[in-house]
Amino acid sequence: MTPDQLVEFAEALARVAASGGGAKALAVLVAERTGAGVLVEDGQWRPLATAGPGSLPSTARNLNGPRAKTVSITLGDACYGYLSVVPAPADVDEALPLLRLAASTLALELARESDGGRGRRRAFWDRLIAREYPDAGAAREDAAARGIAPAAHYLCIALEAEPGQELRTLVTDAFRSVDGELGIIERGGGGLLVLVPASREVDAENARTA
């Protein structure tokens, strides 16, 4: 790739990251640029996102070589996972700078979400409430990658906290449901947005009753 192409690709990665597209959107961008299948896996080689044509293996572990090109997703001394292109590009040396740029962006994304798993889960609810997923299928796929079992329907409740009041524990106890996982999004001033699983779709006419 020429220097201009690398700069253009870096700018495209930055736009995807800024939009909150996450690992899935970044994998799609790499697949578009390489024309190959892409796997993003965590540090234990568990799948986080896939993209691109063809049937992809369940993992790229031990496939480095003609079958795949894998680069580590690292930030400093911490390894957050692996980015793999399947099959390996014909000109690996030319594709390597592109993969390293993508891996660096993924490292920042995964580091932001890696605080004990809570950050990964919080990022899903933030993106859901901001309507950043293109469709329900994309939301469900990202939820599964983060270990979340979402409900089919949700009712969103905004709560404001009194000074010194801790709402999270109260909310968790009050709104726990067998219909799906509860979403809790922290707001400024100690308030919360709570996504409560609903047994059926709630429309504008019956929202007050619900």
Side-chain angles (χ1 to χ4, degrees):
M1 300 183 72
T2 66
D4 286 344
Q5 288 174 321
L6 285 174
V7 170
E8 188 275 330
F9 181 66
E11 291 172 343
L13 289 169
R15 286 193 297 270
V16 171
S19 70
K24 176 64 176 180
L26 291 168
V28 168
L29 180 60
V30 175
E32 290 174 349
R33 297 305 172 95
T34 62
V38 174
L39 288 84
V40 179
E41 299 175 272
D42 68 10
Q44 286 72 50
W45 297 92
R46 295 174 299 197
L48 296 176
T50 60
S55 177
L56 295 175
S58 58
T59 178
R61 188 172 190 172
N62 300 324
L63 292 184
N64 220 9
R67 297 176 62 189
K69 178 58 183 176
T70 298
V71 296
S72 298
I73 300 172
T74 57
L75 190 62
D77 295 331
C79 179
Y80 292 97
Y82 304 93
L83 169 64
S84 302
V85 178
V86 183
D91 192 339
V92 173
D93 290 339
E94 183 172 335
L96 193 56
L98 180 150
L99 297 179
R100 286 178 172 169
L101 280 173
S104 296
T105 305
L106 281 162
L108 293 172
E109 180 75 14
L110 297 180
R112 183 176 64 86
E113 300 177 3
S114 68
D115 52 344
R118 183 172 174 178
R120 282 172 49 79
R121 300 167 74 83
R122 183 177 62 240
F124 167 76
W125 299 112
D126 287 341
R127 291 172 184 168
L128 185 67
I129 201 71
R131 300 182 180 182
E132 293 178 355
Y133 293 105
D135 52 47
R140 285 193 292 269
E141 181 179 345
D142 193 34
R146 298 168 191 272
I148 298 173
H153 307 292
Y154 279 96
L155 180 66
C156 184
I157 301 173
L159 299 175
E160 298 295 334
E162 296 291 336
Q165 185 181 27
E166 171 55 50
L167 288 180
R168 180 177 287 272
T169 300
L170 296 173
V171 163
T172 301
D173 292 340
F175 294 121
R176 184 181 291 111
S177 173
V178 297
D179 294 321
E181 192 154 343
L182 188 70
I184 301 177
I185 302 169
E186 296 178 359
R187 308 172 71 194
L192 299 175
L193 283 179
V194 186
L195 295 173
V196 181
S199 57
R200 62 188 179 87
E201 187 172 3
V202 180
D203 57 32
E205 292 183 359
N206 62 29
R208 183 179 298 276
T209 302

